[in-house]
Amino acid sequence: MQRRSRSRIRDRGRGLTGVIAAASALGLTAALGGCGLTGDSGEVTLRLVAADYGDSESNGSQKYWDKLVTAYEAEHPGVKVDVTVYSWNDVDAKVKEMVDAGKAPDMAQIGAYADYAAKGLLYQADDLLSIPVQADFVAQFADAGRVRDVQYGIPFASSTRLLFYNKTLFEKAGISAPTTWKELATDAEALKAEGVKTPYALPLGAEEAQAETMQWLLSGGGGYTDSDLGTYNIDSAENIATFDWLRDNLVGKGLTGPVAPGELNRADAFSAFAAGDVGMLNGHPSLMQMAKKKGVKFGMVPMPGLEGPSKFSMGVADWMMAFKKNGHADEVGEFLDFVYDKQNVLDFSREYDLLPVTNSASTVMTAAKQDADLKPFLERLPLSELYPVGRTSWAEVSVEIKKRIGRTVTSGGNPSAVLSQLQSTATRAENAE
């Protein structure tokens, strides 16, 4: 493949404003079995499979992409972009099916990229993006997109977590937002005494146990990997102590719910908070809208730690990637530069209550009144740590965490044994790379 000149700085699209007003929205349907094609007319068709961030049909991501594509095609005759959106429950599997069948899309916006990069299936970011676009990415996200020091994963959207608490329940119990684990446990006991159904929701179920786990590990001074060596460190003394504390001070005292942590999924925990039944839980920005719609008054603070607010928060990034199979590197690069235009990043972030992955959009949102609700999350973003997504082993490790981590906090649970099993899994998967 001919490498694109990195000195070639193209004039990017101007976002959706103005163009959309002049163009009607297109309903685009992708032919999943197809590839990027060049027809007799010389027209190139790019195919993108993307995840759905909407919580209803009215704000599904398909509508966002249709508008963006309409604007792009109006400025780029000869290029068509077909976008198919799937739910997060299905999108990763759909892309895998297409790749395994030899029918990879030109682009995929999904949850992980490392497996495809390790197999040599993806373009490097340098082969696609202009220098200004690459330079605009928030540093930790760009770094997290690297496999063996080469960036393949292009960050698309991000989020971090804060501790949400129900202000009404807290006022009734005469307590204030916690800053330490000890205060969190004391608050939970006070909430229980007032009859609160779930003082603290601890979702360690199959949906997203790896997220709740990481937030607690970071607040306890640990994490999934050693910050200096970069190797897995799941069974560290700090991590074991964290789950010992959760078992003995929250779960064992009946301060969690509405079901056992290992059976509680994040979506159900969020719904229970929005229903006014939960005193505290870790949440990302979308929980704000859920709670507001239900009339729940809430506050948000950094996750408590051992001796004060946690220094680090868990960060999550979703990824854009481009497959080499169909070619069209130049056309894909032109389109992705348009996708990451500042206004387009702002439009997407604001529509779905997500944090932008570019510095330019982050600067705007930090200062804008309309984004004031997101400011606490934006302030924590530079202090966030991401999953070790650059490791092909992470997919297997994450699955095992979802299966096993709930056992650490059951009655008689043995955190040391469970975390040691997970460490063995991680080491084995790492050695298999």
Side-chain angles (χ1 to χ4, degrees):
M1 184 199 71
Q2 184 176 0
R3 188 179 180 85
R4 304 180 69 187
S5 172
R6 297 205 58 197
S7 64
R8 179 186 174 193
I9 302 176
R10 302 178 302 279
D11 180 22
R12 297 277 47 94
R14 295 180 296 278
L16 300 181
T17 306
V19 180
I20 293 174
S24 60
L26 292 178
L28 301 177
T29 304
L32 292 184
C35 302
L37 302 176
T38 303
D40 294 338
S41 64
E43 184 175 273
V44 171
T45 298
L46 303 177
R47 286 180 167 75
L48 165 64
V49 176
D52 193 355
Y53 290 84
D55 57 12
S56 65
E57 185 176 346
S58 64
N59 74 336
S61 292
Q62 187 73 56
K63 292 187 176 181
Y64 171 82
W65 285 111
D66 287 352
K67 290 180 180 179
L68 185 141
V69 166
T70 300
Y72 182 77
E73 292 179 348
E75 295 188 358
H76 296 79
V79 178
K80 297 292 182 182
V81 185
D82 284 353
V83 183
T84 301
V85 173
Y86 291 102
S87 75
W88 274 109
N89 293 330
D90 302 320
V91 66
D92 289 279
K94 290 290 185 181
V95 172
K96 185 177 185 302
E97 288 174 8
M98 296 171 72
V99 173
D100 290 347
K103 299 177 181 179
D106 295 280
M107 295 162 284
Q109 185 271 298
I110 52 178
Y113 66 88
D115 283 351
Y116 298 125
K119 294 175 182 177
L121 301 179
L122 302 180
Y123 283 116
Q124 298 179 22
D126 285 354
D127 295 328
L128 302 169
L129 303 173
S130 65
I131 293 173
V133 169
Q134 286 185 285
D136 197 25
F137 288 121
V138 175
Q140 70 256 45
F141 295 133
D143 290 343
R146 296 178 179 274
V147 175
R148 298 183 178 90
D149 295 326
V150 177
Q151 185 181 355
Y152 297 95
I154 304 170
F156 180 73
S158 68
S159 182
T160 189
R161 303 293 168 97
L162 292 172
L163 183 76
F164 282 67
Y165 64 97
N166 185 311
K167 285 187 173 181
T168 301
L169 298 179
F170 267 58
E171 290 171 2
K172 185 179 178 181
I175 54 179
S176 57
T179 61
T180 66
W181 286 4
K182 183 178 180 180
E183 290 175 2
L184 188 150
T186 300
D187 285 352
E189 290 175 343
L191 291 167
K192 183 178 181 180
E194 288 292 329
V196 175
K197 292 182 180 179
T198 304
Y200 183 88
L202 183 67
L204 298 179
E207 179 190 9
E208 207 181 37
Q210 81 283 2
E212 183 75 10
T213 295
M214 184 171 178
Q215 184 65 75
W216 277 98
L217 296 183
L218 290 172
S219 69
Y224 287 130
T225 59
D226 185 289
S227 59
D228 294 324
L229 300 176
T231 56
Y232 283 108
N233 198 27
I234 298 174
D235 61 347
S236 68
E238 293 86 355
N239 292 347
I240 293 170
T242 293
F243 277 94
D244 282 341
W245 188 91
L246 283 170
R247 179 197 60 198
D248 297 340
N249 293 278
L250 286 186
V251 182
K253 294 184 177 180
L255 301 176
T256 60
V259 296
E263 300 172 7
L264 180 62
N265 285 327
R266 188 263 303 163
D268 295 329
F270 278 21
S271 294
F273 184 84
D277 295 332
V278 173
M280 297 174 280
L281 82 170
N282 283 314
H284 53 62
S286 68
L287 182 55
M288 294 189 297
Q289 295 304 319
M290 291 180 63
K292 286 178 181 177
K293 288 178 182 179
K294 297 289 187 177
V296 173
K297 296 180 180 180
F298 61 89
M300 301 178 298
V301 294
M303 177 67 182
L306 285 170
E307 298 179 355
S310 176
K311 295 180 180 179
F312 301 103
S313 296
M314 188 208 71
V316 176
D318 301 324
W319 301 95
M320 179 72 75
M321 63 211 70
F323 289 90
K324 295 190 292 186
K325 182 174 178 58
N326 304 321
H328 306 312
D330 283 345
E331 291 82 3
V332 169
E334 293 276 353
F335 177 67
L336 290 180
D337 276 3
F338 185 83
V339 168
Y340 288 101
D341 173 87
K342 180 174 69 176
Q343 188 59 51
N344 292 338
V345 173
L346 286 169
D347 289 346
F348 184 86
S349 300
R350 286 166 170 166
E351 176 67 29
Y352 300 108
D353 287 323
L354 292 166
L355 306 184
V357 294
T358 61
N359 292 304
S360 59
S362 295
T363 298
V364 172
M365 293 183 74
T366 299
K369 289 183 178 180
Q370 72 182 95
D371 302 310
D373 286 349
L374 286 172
K375 190 173 181 180
F377 294 95
L378 289 164
E379 290 175 344
R380 295 295 293 180
L381 195 59
L383 303 173
S384 65
E385 291 195 10
L386 281 70
Y387 303 132
V389 290
R391 300 172 180 271
T392 58
S393 57
W394 171 243
E396 180 180 347
V397 173
S398 178
V399 168
E400 290 304 309
I401 290 171
K402 293 177 181 180
K403 289 180 180 177
R404 301 185 189 187
I405 200 67
R407 303 173 192 173
T408 59
V409 294
T410 58
S411 178
N414 188 335
S416 178
V418 174
L419 295 178
S420 292
Q421 292 169 356
L422 291 171
Q423 177 65 31
S424 296
T425 296
T427 301
R428 184 168 58 252
E430 189 80 351
N431 292 337
E433 287 190 13

